[in-house]
Amino acid sequence: MKIYKLFALALCAFVLAACNAASTGSPTETLKKFVDASQKKDVAAMKQTLSKGTMELIEKSAQQQKTTVDELLKKDSPTQMTETPEIRNEKIEGDTATVEVKNTVTGNFDTLPFVKEDGQWKLALDKFMQDVMKRMSEEMKNAGQNPPPANAQP
């Protein structure tokens, strides 16, 4: 269930992102297409912007929830956007890319990954989730490495 909540948070982060589009076929343009499709609840268009790994992640989540991929995508899509978040620093390195999107809740910028599949940029939510899980694991490990002694005085 924690994975589903993290996935939903990641999906919302992508959905909240909108932009003044860069060149056609860029990661930023893919993000814009995903946001537009999400607002319209156009599941077919949403699927076209998601990586194969992301679709596998969504399929597993849908199975666990005993629902369909289409219903899951519709459910996790907001119907309105109240503001357009800031987007910056699109970086392309071969067949991978990142775009920084301002998180309207925290005010921080989240780095969203993309992969190029069949010549098209796709949102890589699976990679985003892997990064989130890795950071959480490291934070938990670091918190456990240096616990204060039981008899420590302030």
Side-chain angles (χ1 to χ4, degrees), residues 42-59:
D42 182 347
V43 173
M46 289 168 65
K47 287 179 180 179
Q48 290 176 353
T49 65
L50 300 173
S51 71
K52 292 173 186 172
T54 299
M55 289 304 302
E56 289 173 8
L57 183 67
I58 294 170
E59 288 166 4

Side-chain angles (χ1 to χ4, degrees), residues 40-90:
K40 296 173 185 171
K41 295 195 178 208
D42 182 347
V43 173
M46 289 168 65
K47 287 179 180 179
Q48 290 176 353
T49 65
L50 300 173
S51 71
K52 292 173 186 172
T54 299
M55 289 304 302
E56 289 173 8
L57 183 67
I58 294 170
E59 288 166 4
K60 287 178 185 175
S61 183
Q63 287 174 352
Q64 290 174 345
Q65 296 176 55
K66 297 183 180 12
T67 188
T68 66
V69 169
D70 290 4
E71 288 302 315
L72 188 61
L73 287 172
K74 285 179 188 177
K75 181 172 73 172
D76 288 338
S77 301
T79 56
Q80 294 181 337
M81 290 179 58
T82 57
E83 61 184 80
T84 302
E86 184 180 345
I87 293 179
R88 67 180 188 189
N89 296 336
E90 177 181 89

Side-chain angles (χ1 to χ4, degrees), residues 88-139:
R88 67 180 188 189
N89 296 336
E90 177 181 89
K91 294 179 184 174
I92 299 174
E93 295 180 13
D95 288 342
T96 63
T98 58
V99 175
E100 292 180 352
V101 179
K102 190 167 189 176
N103 183 321
T104 57
V105 175
T106 66
N108 297 326
F109 280 85
D110 294 324
T111 301
L112 305 179
F114 294 79
V115 294
K116 199 173 231 185
E117 294 177 350
D118 302 320
Q120 299 293 316
W121 288 107
K122 306 285 184 167
L123 299 173
L125 288 172
D126 57 318
K127 293 185 183 299
F128 181 81
M129 291 304 302
Q130 288 172 353
D131 291 344
V132 167
M133 297 301 287
K134 183 178 177 183
R135 282 190 307 244
M136 287 177 57
S137 176
E138 288 171 0
E139 288 174 10

